[in-house]
């Protein structure tokens, strides 16, 4: 080997790189300006998150999915006892020690996918919020532990921001989820606007549907507003990647609104240039920019 050449990536690193967020994604731009070592730790957490959350989609039989999740529960126990078997878990050992990451958040993510296996509908906001908190809220807490001091205020901010981000993504993915028979908007929200589940499953648009979706978009914006008071001024700079994610979600909501909420039969995403400009604006403003 040439003395100045880069070391060959380990099997663990190669596997994690395949599973983590991709170039050009919102996550890529959220963490673009971080130091390489910090980016690597966050990529590992994303790889773990994707490995668990994708169990729902790659296992066609629920019994197989439950077996995989049961294996992962045991693997998390092994991970926190220093004896992991999975390449991602093995790579995460040093990251967990470095930031004193909490086991409960890894457990919550697995439990949220178990919950998803049992529900293709959520009756009310309380039950959906619980799911979002356990999945994206818990993941946001892990990311926050990497970026900023672990204290109650930062954790509360992460939980609430995670819910707001997840709900926004559920609105964008409403049609795609419907193709698998899943509707993540609470049933009481649908009843309030007299929207039938069959209309969503059959990708049927109407004026009533657009009014309904506008109400959900407004609700998503309210969730972001509710998260902001928990952001401590002294943590704002450190948590700029989280604020970039929030701003990208708010920009996505504007794009969905401009497109008349055509989320049932098409996918809408922000351009790479738009993502880069938003990320740069948040970063250079020291986290003070928030485009509500």
């Amino acid at each position: 080997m040439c003395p100045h050449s880069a070391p060959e990536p380990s099997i663990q690193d190669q596997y994690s790189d395949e599973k983590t967020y991709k170039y050009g994604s919102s996550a890529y731009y959220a963490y673009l300006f971080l130091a390489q070592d910090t980016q690597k730790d966050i990529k590992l957490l994303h790889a773990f998150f994707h490995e668990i959350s994708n169990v729902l989609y790659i296992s066609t039989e629920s019994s197989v999915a439950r077996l995989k999740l049961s294996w992962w529960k045991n693997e998390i126990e092994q991970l926190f006892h220093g004896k992991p078997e999975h390449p991602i878990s093995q790579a995460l050992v040093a990251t967990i020690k470095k930031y004193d990451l909490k086991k409960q958040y890894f457990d919550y993510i697995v439990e949220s996918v178990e919950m998803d296996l049992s529900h293709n509908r959520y009756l009310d906001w309380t039950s959906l919020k619980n799911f979002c908190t356990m999945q994206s809220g818990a993941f946001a807490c892990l990311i926050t532990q990497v970026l900023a001091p672990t204290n109650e205020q930062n954790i509360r901010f992460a939980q609430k921001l995670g819910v707001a981000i997840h709900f926004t993504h559920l609105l964008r993915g409403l049609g795609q989820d419907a193709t698998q028979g899943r509707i993540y908007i609470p049933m009481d929200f649908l009843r309030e606007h007299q929207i039938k589940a069959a209309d969503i499953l059959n990708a049927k648009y109407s004026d009533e549907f657009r009014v309904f979706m506008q109400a959900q978009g407004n609700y998503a914006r309210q969730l972001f507003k509710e998260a902001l008071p928990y952001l401590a001024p002294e943590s704002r700079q450190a948590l700029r990647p989280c604020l970039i994610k929030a701003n990208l979600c708010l920009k996505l909501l504007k794009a969905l609104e401009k497109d008349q909420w055509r989320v049932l039969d098409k996918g809408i995403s922000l351009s790479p240039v738009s993502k880069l400009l938003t990320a740069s604006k948040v970063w250079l403003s020291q986290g003070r920019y928030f485009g509500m």
Side-chain angles (χ1 to χ4, degrees), residues 2 33 38 47 97 158 185 196 206 211 247 260 268 279 281 289:
C2 173
F33 304 110
T38 307
K97 290 181 179 179
I185 308 301
K196 296 178 180 179
S206 64
V211 170
N247 276 278
Q260 296 292 301
I268 297 176
K281 187 177 291 187
Y289 174 76

Side-chain angles (χ1 to χ4, degrees), residues 138-270:
F139 182 64
C141 288
L142 290 172
I143 297 297
T144 297
Q145 284 190 279
V146 171
L147 296 173
T150 301
N151 55 51
E152 184 177 354
Q153 189 166 359
N154 284 343
I155 292 300
R156 289 287 289 163
F157 170 70
Q159 288 173 331
K160 287 184 171 293
L161 188 66
V163 171
I165 290 173
H166 198 155
F167 188 63
T168 300
H169 290 165
L170 291 177
L171 295 181
R172 192 258 299 272
L174 187 62
Q176 182 178 0
D177 291 327
T179 63
Q180 299 183 345
R182 297 180 174 277
I183 298 177
Y184 284 96
I185 308 301
M187 292 296 102
D188 58 352
F189 285 14
L190 269 67
R191 287 193 298 270
E192 180 183 348
H193 289 266
Q194 299 183 329
I195 300 296
K196 296 178 180 179
D199 291 342
I200 294 176
L201 296 175
N202 295 320
K204 180 181 177 181
Y205 288 106
S206 64
D207 291 339
E208 291 78 13
F209 175 78
R210 293 182 180 88
V211 170
F212 163 71
M213 288 301 295
Q214 185 64 55
Q216 306 318 305
N218 293 341
Y219 190 61
R221 292 186 177 97
Q222 181 60 36
L223 292 174
F224 284 107
K225 288 181 179 179
E226 290 174 3
L228 274 178
Y230 291 91
L231 176 59
E234 62 272 17
S235 296
R236 186 177 288 270
Q237 183 171 345
L239 292 177
R240 280 178 290 181
C242 299
L243 291 171
I244 290 171
K245 280 189 172 184
N247 276 278
L248 289 175
C249 279
L250 289 168
K251 202 157 192 175
L252 176 61
L253 287 170
K254 289 181 181 178
L256 295 172
E257 187 175 51
K258 184 177 180 180
D259 199 51
Q260 296 292 301
W261 300 100
R262 292 195 62 86
V263 294
L264 297 179
D265 59 355
K266 61 186 292 190
I268 297 176
S269 60
L270 303 176

Side-chain angles (χ1 to χ4, degrees), residues 20-195:
T20 195
Y21 60 82
K22 304 303 180 185
Y23 174 84
S25 65
S26 292
Y28 170 82
Y29 289 104
Y31 309 122
L32 180 61
F33 304 110
L34 292 174
Q36 289 297 316
D37 286 349
T38 307
Q39 283 191 37
K40 182 177 179 180
D41 291 324
I42 288 176
K43 283 182 176 180
L44 286 173
L45 290 173
H46 271 267
F48 169 83
F49 183 79
H50 290 159
E51 185 77 6
I52 303 302
S53 58
N54 282 344
V55 168
L56 182 69
Y57 302 102
I58 63 177
S59 300
T60 55
E61 295 291 335
S62 62
S63 58
V64 175
R66 292 186 188 280
L67 283 174
K68 288 184 177 181
L69 293 173
S70 178
W71 185 91
W72 268 107
K73 281 185 174 181
N74 182 68
E75 175 68 357
I76 291 170
E77 290 290 338
Q78 296 295 97
L79 170 58
F80 277 82
H81 284 89
K83 300 177 180 179
E85 298 179 9
H86 195 280
I88 292 177
S89 307
Q90 292 170 348
L92 272 170
V93 170
T95 301
I96 288 172
K97 290 181 179 179
K98 186 192 303 186
Y99 302 103
D100 191 24
L101 300 181
K102 304 305 178 186
K103 177 177 176 292
Q104 68 187 40
Y105 299 128
F106 292 90
D107 288 333
Y108 287 158
I109 292 169
V110 176
E111 291 169 15
S112 73
V113 180
E114 284 185 322
M115 184 187 303
D116 224 6
L117 282 171
S118 302
H119 301 82
N120 57 13
R121 304 284 192 280
Y122 288 86
L123 296 179
D124 52 34
W125 171 244
T126 299
S127 56
L128 180 64
K129 181 182 178 183
N130 184 42
F131 164 68
C132 293
T133 301
M134 291 182 68
Q135 189 164 108
S136 293
F139 182 64
C141 288
L142 290 172
I143 297 297
T144 297
Q145 284 190 279
V146 171
L147 296 173
T150 301
N151 55 51
E152 184 177 354
Q153 189 166 359
N154 284 343
I155 292 300
R156 289 287 289 163
F157 170 70
Q159 288 173 331
K160 287 184 171 293
L161 188 66
V163 171
I165 290 173
H166 198 155
F167 188 63
T168 300
H169 290 165
L170 291 177
L171 295 181
R172 192 258 299 272
L174 187 62
Q176 182 178 0
D177 291 327
T179 63
Q180 299 183 345
R182 297 180 174 277
I183 298 177
Y184 284 96
I185 308 301
M187 292 296 102
D188 58 352
F189 285 14
L190 269 67
R191 287 193 298 270
E192 180 183 348
H193 289 266
Q194 299 183 329
I195 300 296

